[in-house]
Amino acid sequence: MTREGRSLAENVAEDILAMITIDKKFIIGDKLPNENELSADLQVSRTTLREAIRILVAHNVLEIQRGKGTYVKNNRELDEKLGFKELSTFNLNIKDLYEMRLIFEPQSAYYAAKRASDKELERILYYGRQEEEQIIKKEDRIEVEQAFHQSIAKATHNEFMNQLMPILYQAIDKGVPLSDTNEEMIQNTLRDHRMIMEFLAKRDAEGAKTAMKLHILHAMRGFGFSEE
């Protein structure tokens, strides 16, 4: 179901889930803000918020502790479902990982441009700008780059894209430290990310798809990988 076909409460539930899985505003075991504060933050009524929380409780994301409040549930199955699972058993090399990115991420950018809510688009652009700042300052950007690409995947509203994120994280984990030693790759990343964000901001799906493809191809060529 597209975001437009969902109820307001379902959309709010998605926003809260993104706060947990992408923004890391709340982690497992954290107590959510009180009802008044959270409804004001999300700009929805308390009735809608309660319904959204009920949805997340039903999906084992949140739990209500009587007399205490609402907490992010500590649930191993949830950890794996949300992409927190380590894939150490996968013997994947970096070329294979980047080929996976080339297969899936350009199309993800395409659908994100078409389907992202205003709030999801704002989140993508926020993390894109954060990453740009960290590149310029030569700071560790792995976490914020993961958030940028996860935000795009989430905005596709395709559950299978979200399930692929742990694999794509491995490509980012392996690729970023290597690319940060190559000034040409660093400059390509800056230009490419700006181009991706520009097309997404305009909701130009074909442009976003092409920009993402170029970004990954630039990285692969920087690593010396052929496309054969």
Side-chain angles (χ1 to χ4, degrees):
M1 183 184 294
T2 64
R3 189 176 177 95
E4 290 74 15
R6 297 173 179 162
S7 71
L8 178 58
E10 287 171 324
N11 286 339
V12 172
E14 281 285 328
D15 290 336
I16 296 171
L17 184 60
M19 287 179 175
I20 298 167
T21 61
I22 299 176
D23 299 334
K24 305 295 192 294
K25 285 187 177 179
F26 314 113
I27 61 173
I28 287 172
D30 274 359
K31 180 182 178 181
L32 295 191
N34 66 50
E35 197 174 82
N36 288 338
E37 185 180 338
L38 191 54
S39 61
D41 186 34
L42 293 166
Q43 298 181 328
V44 296
S45 70
R46 286 183 295 168
T47 301
T48 299
L49 176 62
R50 287 186 203 118
E51 189 177 343
I53 288 172
R54 279 198 293 271
I55 291 168
L56 292 173
V57 167
H59 284 83
N60 290 321
V61 175
L62 299 177
E63 62 179 344
I64 298 171
Q65 297 182 13
R66 299 296 176 190
K68 292 184 178 180
T70 303
Y71 292 80
V72 181
K73 193 165 185 178
N74 189 354
N75 182 328
R76 179 178 172 80
E77 186 178 309
L78 174 65
D79 291 353
E80 297 181 357
K81 180 181 177 183
L82 296 182
F84 299 146
K85 181 172 67 172
E86 291 295 326
L87 297 184
S88 56
T89 56
F90 282 65
N91 184 21
L92 300 173
N93 65 44
I94 192 166
K95 182 175 185 291
D96 290 345
L97 288 165
Y98 270 77
E99 284 181 357
M100 281 287 292
R101 293 189 69 183
L102 188 60
I103 291 166
F104 290 104
E105 289 199 76
Q107 201 64 37
S108 291
Y110 176 91
Y111 284 121
K114 283 184 169 289
R115 297 174 179 173
S117 68
D118 290 343
K119 185 172 287 187
E120 286 170 332
L121 186 56
E122 183 182 325
R123 179 179 285 112
I124 292 167
L125 299 178
Y126 168 78
Y127 284 116
R129 289 189 293 268
Q130 288 282 103
E131 181 174 7
E132 184 176 327
E133 287 178 18
Q134 291 184 344
I135 291 173
I136 292 169
K137 293 177 181 177
K138 300 188 183 303
E139 296 175 349
D140 181 6
R141 61 184 170 93
I142 290 176
E143 187 173 327
V144 75
E145 174 143 354
Q146 288 181 345
F148 176 69
H149 288 281
Q150 188 180 8
S151 298
I152 292 173
K154 187 137 183 65
T156 67
H157 300 283
N158 183 305
E159 180 57 31
F160 290 102
M161 275 310 306
N162 288 302
Q163 297 296 330
L164 280 170
M165 287 314 297
I167 296 175
L168 301 184
Y169 282 167
Q170 283 208 356
I172 292 169
D173 286 346
K174 291 174 183 287
V176 167
L178 292 174
S179 64
D180 280 351
T181 64
N182 183 317
E183 186 59 33
E184 182 182 355
M185 292 183 73
I186 291 171
Q187 293 307 314
N188 280 338
T189 297
L190 275 172
R191 285 193 297 270
D192 292 347
H193 272 239
R194 286 169 184 165
M195 187 164 53
I196 292 165
M197 289 192 293
E198 181 180 336
F199 283 120
L200 285 170
K202 294 177 180 176
R203 295 190 179 273
D204 182 334
E206 288 292 347
K209 177 180 177 179
T210 301
M212 183 65 79
K213 181 177 180 180
L214 286 172
H215 172 48
I216 297 168
L217 285 174
H218 280 152
M220 292 177 73
R221 290 167 188 163
F223 292 133
F225 302 149
S226 73
E227 297 155 46
E228 297 300 321

